[in-house]
Amino acid sequence: MLEGKNVNLRVMEEEDLPLVAEWANNPEFGGEYEPLEQISCKEVEKWYDSLGSRERWFIVEKKDGSKIGQIFHSPRGPHFLIGYRLLPSERNKGYCTEAVKIMVDYLFLSGNTVRIQAETSPRNIASQKVLEKAGFKKEGLIRRSIFVRGNWEDGFLYSILREEWKEPKILTKTTS
Ligand SMILES: CC(C)(COP(=O)(O)OP(=O)(O)OC[C@H]1O[C@@H](n2cnc3c(N)ncnc32)[C@H](O)[C@@H]1OP(=O)(O)O)[C@@H](O)C(=O)NCCC(=O)NCCS
């Protein structure tokens, strides 16, 4: 468990899969800038079994244990990509910014990675603010990189380098 001030990141376990499927099938959870998908519980189980050690999904939990969203890291060559989604009722409370800061601390503390990146729609202002508040810098536009609701859309590429991350900022402790 990665513990922050207001949220914790807990590694996704098999028992979370029904909730993960429910979230994946709820278009409001992904929001208007994410690809639309519908997935069966069986497919979610297969996907879960196929995850390698460098792709890890976490459940974002509040301090009372309530599950409010997901954040993941996956490999991009020797580096990492991160992504995140929160329940609509829990947005705009600073939780995702904190979850991203915890993830950045974790990735730089746990391995020798030098770069963490994220991609977001130029229309997704909330996501851009999250990344900028967590210390990411905008690198540029990736043209026609994602298919969203019937259209190929451009994305912004953001990254944070190890030398831009000074010290653990928010990860307060880890527990098993
Ligand atoms: C993107 C997302 C994860 C942000 O989570 P969050 O917990 O609401 O983020 P935070 O509260 O930490 O910060 C959001 C910031 O964006 C701002 N914001 C939120 N909605 C906004 C909007 N529609 N326009 C402009 N700013 C907005 C907030 O005011 C806040 O900025 P501030 O701290 O300067 O006030 C959440 O909106 C979400 O789950 N969206 C759907 C999935 C998604 O788009 N994921 C990202 C894919 S790249």
Side-chain angles (χ1 to χ4, degrees):
M1 176 92 89
L2 303 173
E3 298 194 19
K5 290 198 180 93
N6 300 298
V7 294
N8 299 329
L9 309 189
R10 181 179 56 71
V11 173
M12 182 181 73
E13 299 287 357
E14 213 160 344
E15 71 210 31
D16 298 309
L17 297 186
L19 179 63
V20 167
E22 184 189 317
W23 282 347
N25 291 327
N26 176 1
E28 288 185 7
F29 183 64
E32 57 188 305
Y33 313 115
E34 291 280 278
L36 200 52
E37 67 170 340
Q38 294 289 287
I39 188 164
S40 69
C41 288
K42 203 89 204 141
E43 287 169 313
V44 172
E45 282 165 21
K46 269 194 192 164
W47 161 78
Y48 176 77
D49 288 340
S50 74
L51 294 177
S53 62
R54 296 189 70 226
E55 175 160 2
R56 189 95 48 224
W57 286 66
F58 294 82
I59 303 293
V60 181
E61 291 184 346
K62 289 204 284 194
K63 292 292 172 175
D64 63 5
S66 53
K67 302 169 178 129
I68 62 167
Q70 296 168 314
I71 184 165
F72 70 88
H73 64 71
S74 67
R76 280 297 173 278
H79 311 299
F80 286 103
L81 170 83
I82 64 163
Y84 36 79
R85 292 172 174 186
L86 286 196
L87 286 171
S89 58
E90 299 294 345
R91 293 179 193 162
N92 245 324
K93 299 176 183 173
Y95 294 145
C96 189
T97 300
E98 187 175 331
V100 169
K101 286 179 176 172
I102 295 170
M103 181 67 99
V104 167
D105 285 353
Y106 168 67
L107 287 173
F108 283 135
L109 288 169
S110 63
N112 195 24
T113 191
V114 296
R115 172 190 163 86
I116 304 166
Q117 69 187 56
E119 295 169 22
T120 186
S121 166
R123 297 186 289 124
N124 194 343
I125 306 297
S127 181
Q128 291 171 58
K129 282 198 168 181
V130 164
L131 292 168
E132 283 162 14
K133 285 188 288 180
F136 284 68
K137 291 198 165 66
K138 194 195 292 176
E139 292 190 343
L141 191 74
I142 324 167
R143 297 187 298 166
R144 302 289 184 269
S145 61
I146 188 167
F147 192 74
V148 183
R149 315 284 164 106
N151 294 307
W152 280 102
E153 296 201 345
D154 298 339
F156 278 148
L157 178 64
Y158 277 82
S159 68
I160 181 169
L161 303 180
R162 180 177 284 276
E163 62 258 35
E164 294 162 347
W165 169 84
K166 303 279 187 293
E167 59 192 32
K169 290 182 180 67
I170 191 125
L171 178 58
T172 55
K173 67 176 180 168
T174 56
T175 50
S176 55

